[in-house]
Amino acid sequence: MQSRHSYSLEEAERIGAAIGAALKAGDVVLLSGELGAGKTTLARAVLKARGLAGEAPSPTFAIVQPYAPPEIDLAIAHVDLYRIEDADELIELGLDDYLYDGALLIEWPERLGGEGWPGALTLRISGEGDARVLTADVPPAWETRWPLR
């Protein structure tokens, strides 16, 4: 199923909160878009919806920024693959390990190589300024809980 929504930057927090509320252990959310499209803004809104009280730093330099209870109510790894140059580097990150009891938010999933991440919720953000468009490829595991209809 594909879903498409126009939104303003003010609405990004509401959209991220809705996705965050539906997120469960084992989920992978892929966030695509140009530099400055709003991937990190959406990821921060998801984290806030799960209880993060402070500001979530961009994981651009750390690559993986993990969050776990009691800081939030579901373990989530916020991943930024922008600096990954070769898909072979991903093995060292151990991303699969986060899915046992948590979820992944992955920015720049194009760097995953191959098919990306099978079964993931894929979100593409386009537009600029205050006019954004979110296009979601909603996998079967998300169809009954996809919050943006």
Side-chain angles (χ1 to χ4, degrees):
M1 170 175 95
Q2 193 172 69
S3 175
R4 189 174 164 96
H5 303 275
S6 297
Y7 68 100
S8 68
L9 288 179
E10 290 177 359
E11 294 172 302
E13 189 159 327
R14 179 187 58 79
I15 290 171
I19 293 168
L23 197 64
K24 66 180 189 177
D27 283 340
V28 177
V29 178
L30 306 177
L31 298 159
S32 296
E34 298 297 319
L35 277 172
K39 298 177 295 295
T40 301
T41 299
L42 207 58
R44 286 176 174 151
V46 169
L47 292 165
K48 185 177 178 182
R50 297 314 296 231
L52 186 66
E55 182 70 27
S58 172
T60 300
F61 293 104
I63 300 177
V64 178
Q65 182 67 48
Y67 299 90
E71 188 177 28
I72 60 177
D73 67 356
L74 171 69
I76 298 173
H78 183 190
V79 182
D80 186 327
L81 300 179
Y82 184 74
R83 296 186 316 123
I84 297 295
E85 295 179 10
D86 189 307
D88 290 340
E89 297 174 60
L90 297 170
I91 294 168
E92 298 173 23
L93 299 178
L95 297 179
D96 287 326
D97 294 342
Y98 290 99
L99 298 177
Y100 291 112
D101 61 354
L104 291 170
L105 300 176
I106 302 177
E107 296 186 37
W108 297 99
E110 300 80 10
R111 311 281 172 134
L112 289 169
E115 297 178 22
W117 203 293
L121 172 64
T122 302
L123 305 176
R124 287 182 304 284
I125 303 170
S126 58
E128 56 187 41
D130 201 39
R132 306 294 166 113
V133 175
L134 177 71
T135 304
D137 289 327
V138 181
W142 273 85
E143 285 183 359
T144 58
R145 57 191 164 112
W146 177 240
L148 306 175
R149 302 218 180 254

